[in-house]
Amino acid sequence: MNIFNNIDLHFAKFINELADENDPDLFLASALVSNAAGNGDVCLDLGKLAGKVILEEKEDRETLSCPALDIWLEKLKRTNVVGKPGDYRPLILDDKNRLYLHRYWNYEKTLADAIKKKATDDIIGLLAKPDANYLKMLLEKYFPDITGERSNLQKLAALTTVFKRFCIISGGRGTGKTTVIAKILALLTEVEAKNKLKIYLCAPTGKAAAKLAESIRNTKINIDCSDERKKLIPEDAYTIHRMLKTIPGSSGFYYNADNKLSADIVIVDEASMVDLALLTKLVEALPDKARLVLAGDKDQLASVEAGSVLGDLCNRGNIPAYSGRLYEELYKETEGSIDIAFPDSKSTSDKP
């Protein structure tokens, strides 16, 4: 059975024609990167395939093998259709021997830069830093510590959302993600009581958006806050496409990098289902001041299109850890008055 479909083969033929070459190794790389994108991967790791047999010999075909890595890289680098990161070429080859379609490399770079900026920026959106004792009181009200539990990860997520513009809340079914989201929104409306926050709830599909809206409506009834605060927590949720306003006949949106969505907080539920391209367009449409919270299960419901963004952001497959920098920043911001019990796996890394 052939591993390539017609799109892969036509794309590889187009790349060879564009390069004005008839190189089987360029053809193979182009077909493989197209096939990888079709299977949900944003890039092709040449190192993992180099020298390996792709298809075994049969009566109607010869063995199909990938060339040795050094030979493959040399051939790709000397063509005019393969560039390095930052070049405007159909294919991009990075220094880790990963081959990208240009659009996916551009999406990944844009999204990574935006998330790094949001994750590392200092407190934003507040007229003044919240009083540490007042914040401590609010956290204890909304996220009381559980007897016998050293780490209160819900409190940590809430505190991170107060002082950072980017936060991920990952957990399986029944772990209370919706309750945490509703409480975080109540907390933020109290912390920023002087500001009329514009809050959006969204999800990748209509079914997920409807479920989120219903869960928030049911959850906020039982939150320990005033009715005035509860009214500030939205009860409607959008699909991401509806929130950004799809432009008929186009892959673009009304709200984009040049026309920002007027938002202070955006919550994305079922974020594991959001592909790389859509999440990039969402982040581009957010103003610099806006907080972005991604919620979902990093181990389930992968996106249909290319890019398992939530899983990658959560470093899926590795033991989760919190950086020493985050601990130090939150300790400093709260003037040491709030007991932040990080998990034992707290890293001393300087990465956010």
Side-chain angles (χ1 to χ4, degrees):
M1 183 178 68
N2 199 327
I3 63 172
F4 301 118
N5 57 41
N6 288 334
I7 292 177
D8 302 332
L9 298 175
H10 282 297
F11 176 76
K13 181 180 178 182
F14 166 75
I15 290 295
N16 266 255
E17 291 174 350
L18 195 64
D20 196 21
E21 293 187 25
N22 187 22
D23 187 338
D25 292 336
L26 174 61
F27 187 97
L28 180 59
S30 303
L32 284 170
V33 75
S34 172
N35 186 262
N39 288 324
D41 295 318
V42 298
C43 65
L44 178 72
D45 189 339
L46 297 178
K48 290 183 177 180
L49 290 175
K52 293 185 177 180
V53 175
I54 300 295
L55 289 174
E56 298 286 351
E57 180 180 5
K58 284 191 175 182
E59 293 182 0
D60 59 341
R61 68 167 184 243
E62 297 180 355
T63 300
L64 177 62
S65 301
C66 294
L69 183 61
D70 56 345
I71 296 175
W72 213 358
L73 293 175
E74 181 183 357
K75 285 190 174 184
L76 294 177
K77 289 178 180 178
R78 74 186 185 196
T79 72
N80 61 358
V81 293
V82 178
K84 60 183 182 298
D87 291 342
Y88 189 68
R89 303 285 178 85
L91 300 175
I92 299 296
L93 180 64
D94 71 8
D95 57 3
K96 294 184 178 180
N97 304 325
R98 296 176 300 199
L99 189 65
Y100 290 79
L101 298 175
H102 181 274
R103 70 176 181 275
Y104 286 124
W105 174 84
N106 189 54
Y107 284 143
E108 188 175 272
K109 178 69 165 57
T110 301
L111 181 60
D113 288 348
I115 288 178
K116 285 178 182 178
K117 188 174 190 308
K118 281 190 176 295
T120 56
D121 275 357
D122 292 329
I123 183 173
I124 51 88
L126 305 178
L127 297 178
K129 187 168 73 172
D131 177 76
N133 290 324
Y134 177 58
L135 181 56
K136 179 179 181 180
M137 180 272 292
L138 292 175
L139 286 168
E140 289 176 347
K141 179 177 75 168
Y142 289 120
F143 303 96
D145 292 329
I146 303 172
T147 303
E149 294 288 336
R150 177 183 178 275
S151 303
N152 189 334
L153 297 182
Q154 293 185 357
K155 180 190 289 186
L156 179 56
L159 192 58
T160 302
T161 308
V162 170
F163 289 105
K164 293 292 179 180
R165 293 191 287 149
F166 180 71
C167 182
I168 297 174
I169 300 174
S170 178
R173 184 183 298 274
T175 53
K177 294 188 297 294
T178 304
T179 300
V180 173
I181 289 170
K183 288 183 176 181
I184 285 176
L185 293 178
L187 172 68
L188 291 176
T189 61
E190 295 212 50
V191 171
E192 296 205 42
K194 294 181 180 180
N195 300 328
K196 188 176 181 181
L197 297 176
K198 294 181 179 179
I199 303 170
Y200 284 87
L201 304 173
C202 66
T205 68
K207 182 178 179 180
K211 182 179 177 182
L212 173 61
E214 181 181 9
S215 297
I216 291 292
R217 285 194 295 268
N218 294 336
T219 300
K220 74 176 188 176
I221 295 174
N222 299 316
I223 294 179
D224 182 18
C225 66
S226 66
D227 290 339
E228 180 183 1
R229 291 284 163 225
K230 291 178 181 179
K231 289 179 182 179
L232 297 176
I233 301 174
E235 296 187 350
D236 295 325
Y238 302 83
T239 63
I240 297 175
H241 288 78
R242 183 180 166 214
M243 182 179 71
L244 298 181
K245 293 187 178 180
T246 303
I247 299 175
S250 168
S251 62
F253 294 95
Y254 176 77
Y255 293 112
N256 52 50
D258 298 317
N259 182 37
K260 303 287 189 179
L261 176 71
S262 179
D264 296 300
I265 304 169
V266 174
I267 308 290
V268 183
D269 197 24
E270 299 289 6
S272 63
M273 298 172 62
V274 185
D275 62 81
L276 175 62
L278 183 57
L279 188 57
T280 301
K281 292 175 182 180
L282 168 60
V283 171
E284 282 187 309
L286 298 183
D288 290 341
K289 67 176 183 177
R291 290 179 173 92
L292 174 63
V293 178
L294 303 181
D297 184 349
K298 62 182 175 58
D299 297 316
Q300 292 183 357
L301 295 174
S303 59
V304 175
E305 301 297 330
S308 180
V309 184
L310 186 68
D312 291 340
L313 288 173
C314 292
N315 205 12
R316 183 169 49 201
N318 295 309
I319 298 175
Y322 294 88
S323 71
R325 175 184 291 181
L326 178 61
Y327 177 88
E328 291 168 2
E329 287 184 0
L330 294 183
Y331 188 86
K332 178 181 177 181
E333 292 289 2
T334 59
E335 301 174 3
S337 66
I338 299 176
D339 179 22
I340 310 170
F342 274 59
D344 292 331
S345 58
K346 175 173 74 73
S347 168
T348 56
S349 167
D350 61 352
K351 296 180 180 179

